[in-house]
Amino acid sequence: MSVNKDLQYERRRCTFNPTELTHFWDGSQLKTEQRHEREQFFLNDPELVDKVPIKYKSHKEVYEDAIRKSCRVLQKIRELQEMGKGGIDMFSHVLGAMIGSGIIREGNPLVLHYVMFIPAIMGQGTIKQQVHWLSKSWGGSIIGTYAQTELGHGTFIRGLETTATYDPQTQEFILNSPTLTSYKWWPGGLGHTANHAIVVAQLYIKGDCKGVHAFVVQLRDENTHEPLPGIKIGEIGTKLGMNATNNGFLGFDNVRIPREHMLMKNCQVLEDGTYVKSLNDKLTYGTMVFVRVVLVHDIVHYLLKAVVIATRYSAVRRQGQINADKPEVQIIDYVTQQYKIFPHLAACFAYRMSADAIWNMYNVVTGELDKGDMNKLPELHALACCIKAVASADAANGVEQLRLACGGHGYMDASNLPNLYGLVTAICTYEGENTVLLLQTARYLVKVWKQACSGQSLPESMQYLTAYTKGIKQAPWKNTLQCIVTAYQAVVAGKIRSAAENIHLRISKGVHLEDAWNQTGIELAQCADAYCRAFVVEKFIEGVQKTVVSKELHLVLSQLCELYAVYWILQKRGDFLQFSSLKNENIPQLQSRLEELLAAIRPNAIGIVDGFDVRDELLNSALGAYDGDVYTRLFAEAMKSPLNQQSVNESFEKYLKPFLKSNL
């Protein structure tokens, strides 16, 4: 491979071994080798290689090609499993944002089957239901999706309009969509792919509404794939991105399903219509938490790819002069360019370590739930809500900023940055719209604040609140990690106190409780954002401190960690000036430290993104390829356009020539 000379120079002067970072990122050298083998197994398959760029295909062709590839990928997963080279986790590894979005760029229409349909059955089905449905699901004899969101209602689940009315005479549920707004809208794979769905509907027994429950519903004939009687189903059309995911709509007209098709691990409907309520209505949080943590890992991979593209391109692209008597410089040498890129590079590590921490917590809590212990579930749910919201918003803003960092070429589809933006920005609104999720976390935070004020014990991630309820006197500002962590925590405590006081003040003036919450909504959402950022910074610092790597790599990780923490203090400086010990006179020192960190990271930037070890086939970018041959690749991509297959387009004779000859 002939490599761009600027990239060669950057790689030679890297102060650490990028391969060590690769092993750290993967978890071990063995895991890196296994990943390489897995990637080779999929990417060397000619059936998974695009011969025509996806942007030149019709919407119908994009979907059909995605189905073809998805089926091929699943066949290959089975082959690996039969060879003993992959367990159940193979699905998440291959269908996720790294390999999955590299092979099927516009989204996989089968993902919800594995990410939501199966986990929902595992989390909410009885043992008998799991045995029945999972054997069909894992084997692939049925394909499912998860139908919750409706045309008129999304995150507000209690407002869903789809009904499931129990008929004790036949021991069946009758599903109906009483209004247009009650049609299910958005589920991936629903349009033409899935033949089953978990449908969330309002349960009615003898005219009494028991709230929303989940039902397994067959949608299409398993042999002909034709919709079953009473099923109104189709696709919702093109979107900003993810146009292969086959998002669909679904309506019901007196569709009957057996009583046993209601998922009854937590709530039951007996044969005579007796309703047995769940001991705890929070038990359904498990599936949502699982999906949101998976999403954060996907968010990291999307942002990571964008960072690799922008960093490599910035080392290759030469434009402008810093000194008039010297040649044009690599644009990565501009401090403003470093400021556009490096904080997002650091964010990849920050959110990866935070997501890993929540994932470990999820596994612990899941084990405790099986024993009837639900004490940590609210904390886990609150963390999963806010980290999904904050990480997706940061990544969407980050990918857009990284696209802008690549100038005009970043606007081209060949850069893959528009596609990555479409993938990551979708996460801001699915699986819970971000503001709604932040407000859910905020309710938990205010509750914990009241517990702290009354002297009760607090959840692990919020134990620091106790000190702030007692009017702790903060130590003077120092540019140390310990001081920084304390400052983030002080902001959390200060913002929660302020929001709680304003709610109380409004109530004291006669405002109803829920109206007071609404009127304080801006502050409450900011509380959740602050809580998440404090958690992320703390886990990033802990993760780096516990990491056993060479001193050279440890120094790089420490620089990224400090950069992330300082960057967000400066971004949110008003909060830190208001609630922490940070003073105006400390700001210039922090700004100088941020610039020092940018300069320290600069020589290793290419080494860091090389350490992510993203194959060109998964990056799909003319700007970010390993060899840095940007302009040759851009030109080659341009020549793939159907408009370049003829020297004169037929529109010339039809329209342009008559216009030119008309003598207007």
Side-chain angles (χ1 to χ4, degrees):
M1 179 187 292
S2 176
V3 177
N4 176 278
K5 60 182 177 59
D6 286 325
L7 280 183
Q8 291 181 34
Y9 170 72
E10 296 293 338
R11 286 168 179 145
R12 282 197 302 270
R13 71 170 180 158
C14 182
T15 63
F16 70 97
N17 183 355
T19 302
E20 184 186 8
L21 174 56
T22 302
H23 296 160
F24 164 75
W25 190 259
D26 286 332
S28 69
Q29 181 177 343
L30 175 61
K31 290 183 178 179
T32 297
E33 292 168 357
Q34 291 172 338
R35 176 175 59 80
H36 284 169
E37 183 180 5
R38 188 163 56 237
E39 289 174 351
Q40 198 84 357
F41 181 71
F42 286 94
L43 297 176
N44 284 1
D45 187 335
E47 292 186 37
L48 298 178
V49 177
D50 283 325
K51 295 177 177 61
V52 177
I54 193 169
K55 287 296 181 181
Y56 300 130
K57 297 178 182 178
S58 70
H59 182 59
K60 181 172 177 286
E61 289 171 327
V62 167
Y63 167 67
E64 291 168 351
D65 200 41
I67 283 293
R68 178 186 62 79
K69 283 185 174 181
S70 299
C71 292
R72 180 60 180 159
V73 166
L74 292 174
Q75 288 170 358
K76 292 180 77 68
I77 290 176
R78 288 200 191 104
E79 290 175 28
L80 283 178
Q81 291 177 326
E82 289 168 1
M83 291 187 286
K85 294 184 178 180
I88 291 176
D89 62 338
M90 179 63 68
F91 289 93
S92 60
H93 284 306
V94 176
L95 300 179
M98 184 54 75
I99 298 181
S101 67
I103 295 174
I104 308 174
R105 292 183 60 186
E106 287 278 357
N108 188 322
L110 296 178
V111 162
L112 251 67
H113 176 69
Y114 294 98
V115 175
M116 293 204 71
F117 183 77
I118 289 175
I121 291 171
M122 293 173 69
Q124 299 181 47
T126 63
I127 297 296
K128 185 177 179 181
Q129 288 175 322
Q130 290 180 31
V131 169
H132 176 76
W133 291 110
L134 294 181
S135 61
K136 293 173 175 286
S137 303
W138 281 120
S141 59
I142 66 170
I143 295 295
T145 186
Y146 189 88
Q148 177 172 292
T149 300
E150 296 176 353
L151 190 55
H153 285 90
T155 313
F156 184 60
I157 300 173
R158 293 199 306 275
L160 296 180
E161 299 176 83
T162 302
T163 61
T165 305
Y166 185 63
D167 181 355
Q169 301 299 319
T170 61
Q171 296 183 27
E172 293 174 315
F173 294 103
I174 308 169
L175 275 73
N176 275 293
S177 303
T179 62
L180 178 62
T181 52
S182 69
Y183 270 56
K184 297 299 179 183
W185 193 270
W186 276 115
L190 177 61
H192 293 275
T193 309
N195 54 19
H196 284 71
I198 289 175
V199 176
V200 180
Q202 301 283 1
L203 170 62
Y204 282 86
I205 301 176
K206 299 176 182 178
D208 186 19
C209 183
K210 302 296 184 181
V212 294
H213 292 70
F215 304 83
V216 182
V217 184
Q218 184 174 350
L219 308 176
R220 294 175 177 271
D221 184 278
E222 291 184 22
N223 293 314
T224 66
H225 209 57
E226 286 289 341
L228 297 180
I231 300 289
K232 303 172 184 179
I233 195 168
E235 199 228 17
I236 65 173
T238 57
K239 310 169 292 292
L240 174 66
M242 304 188 77
N243 283 303
T245 50
N246 196 220
N247 302 89
F249 64 80
L250 173 64
F252 300 99
D253 183 10
N254 290 316
V255 174
R256 288 178 172 266
I257 60 172
R259 182 182 66 90
E260 294 81 4
H261 283 209
M262 173 179 152
L263 295 180
M264 296 197 197
K265 179 179 179 180
N266 302 316
C267 303
Q268 291 87 40
V269 175
L270 304 184
E271 292 181 4
D272 63 357
T274 301
Y275 179 69
V276 181
K277 193 176 185 299
S278 170
L279 296 175
N280 192 310
D281 58 2
K282 294 182 175 60
L283 288 171
T284 57
Y285 285 174
T287 303
M288 292 185 287
V289 170
F290 168 80
V291 174
R292 286 166 188 160
V293 176
V294 168
L295 285 179
V296 177
H297 280 109
D298 282 352
I299 288 164
V300 169
H301 285 131
Y302 294 139
L303 180 61
L304 179 155
K305 288 181 178 180
V307 167
V308 174
I309 294 165
T311 304
R312 285 182 178 160
Y313 177 69
S314 297
V316 170
R317 179 76 170 186
R318 286 181 172 269
Q319 187 158 302
Q321 296 170 292
I322 295 176
N323 297 305
D325 57 344
K326 292 185 178 180
E328 285 191 288
V329 299
Q330 297 164 278
I331 60 174
I332 198 171
D333 284 335
Y334 292 104
V335 175
T336 49
Q337 187 76 349
Q338 296 165 17
Y339 184 66
K340 288 178 182 177
I341 297 173
F342 295 172
H344 304 300
L345 176 57
C348 293
F349 290 90
Y351 284 119
R352 166 67 183 273
M353 292 183 183
S354 303
D356 287 347
I358 296 179
W359 181 250
N360 292 335
M361 184 180 177
Y362 169 79
N363 289 326
V364 170
V365 171
T366 300
E368 292 174 348
L369 285 175
D370 292 338
K371 300 174 184 176
D373 182 357
M374 291 173 279
N375 290 331
K376 294 181 182 177
L377 185 58
E379 179 189 20
L380 175 63
H381 181 249
L383 279 169
C385 283
C386 68
I387 196 169
K388 180 270 180 186
V390 176
S392 61
D394 283 359
N397 291 332
V399 172
E400 172 63 359
Q401 194 168 26
L402 292 162
R403 182 188 69 79
L404 293 171
C406 293
H409 292 334
Y411 194 67
M412 295 193 67
D413 180 61
S415 75
N416 199 29
L417 291 167
N419 177 61
L420 288 172
Y421 181 74
L423 292 170
V424 76
T425 197
I427 303 177
C428 293
T429 46
Y430 69 66
E431 282 316 299
E433 191 276 333
N434 281 353
T435 302
V436 176
L437 291 184
L438 291 174
L439 292 173
Q440 286 186 18
T441 298
R443 282 193 179 273
Y444 172 76
L445 297 179
V446 172
K447 178 182 177 181
V448 173
W449 176 257
K450 291 177 181 177
Q451 292 173 348
C453 291
S454 61
Q456 299 177 45
S457 60
L458 302 182
E460 184 179 347
S461 66
M462 302 193 69
Q463 289 179 355
Y464 56 84
L465 288 184
T466 300
Y468 292 96
T469 62
K470 299 175 181 177
I472 182 176
K473 183 177 176 63
Q474 297 182 45
W477 182 266
K478 294 180 181 179
N479 278 4
T480 64
L481 289 179
Q482 183 53 55
C483 177
I484 286 172
V485 169
T486 302
Y488 273 91
Q489 293 173 346
V491 169
V492 178
K495 293 187 83 68
I496 298 175
R497 176 195 284 116
S498 175
E501 288 175 351
N502 282 330
I503 291 170
H504 179 73
L505 179 63
R506 288 182 166 109
I507 292 173
S508 68
K509 293 180 178 179
V511 178
H512 187 272
L513 172 61
E514 290 305 320
D515 288 330
W517 269 89
N518 178 45
Q519 292 169 20
T520 319
I522 296 172
E523 285 185 78
L524 290 167
Q526 291 173 352
C527 288
D529 181 275
Y531 168 60
C532 180
R533 296 197 186 280
F535 177 83
V536 170
V537 167
E538 184 179 1
K539 293 305 173 187
F540 195 177
I541 292 171
E542 283 181 9
V544 172
Q545 290 175 342
K546 292 177 182 177
T547 298
V548 180
V549 292
S550 67
K551 64 179 181 180
E552 293 84 4
L553 178 54
H554 195 275
L555 176 60
V556 171
L557 294 175
S558 299
Q559 291 166 346
L560 290 166
C561 180
E562 188 178 356
L563 173 65
Y564 181 84
V566 171
Y567 174 84
W568 280 107
I569 290 175
L570 291 171
Q571 289 291 307
K572 305 276 186 179
R573 68 185 67 182
D575 290 339
F576 285 86
L577 289 170
Q578 183 177 1
F579 297 114
S580 77
S581 61
L582 184 71
K583 305 297 181 187
N584 276 325
E585 53 267 28
N586 303 129
I587 298 294
Q589 188 180 6
L590 267 181
Q591 181 65 34
S592 295
R593 182 56 182 157
L594 178 133
E595 291 159 6
E596 290 170 4
L597 290 165
L598 294 177
I601 292 166
R602 162 67 186 92
N604 287 314
I606 291 298
I608 297 169
V609 299
D610 282 354
F612 290 143
D613 194 30
V614 186
R615 288 179 55 137
D616 287 350
E617 299 96 321
L618 300 180
L619 208 56
N620 285 314
S621 175
L623 305 188
Y626 185 84
D627 63 7
D629 195 5
V630 170
Y631 306 116
T632 301
R633 290 175 181 274
L634 279 174
F635 201 88
E637 288 299 313
M639 293 309 296
K640 293 178 183 178
S641 169
L643 291 174
N644 287 327
Q645 307 313 306
Q646 302 169 278
S647 60
V648 178
N649 184 262
E650 61 184 27
S651 63
F652 174 76
E653 293 291 341
K654 287 183 178 180
Y655 312 114
L656 192 56
K657 186 176 180 179
F659 171 76
L660 293 171
K661 301 295 183 182
S662 63
N663 295 319
L664 288 178

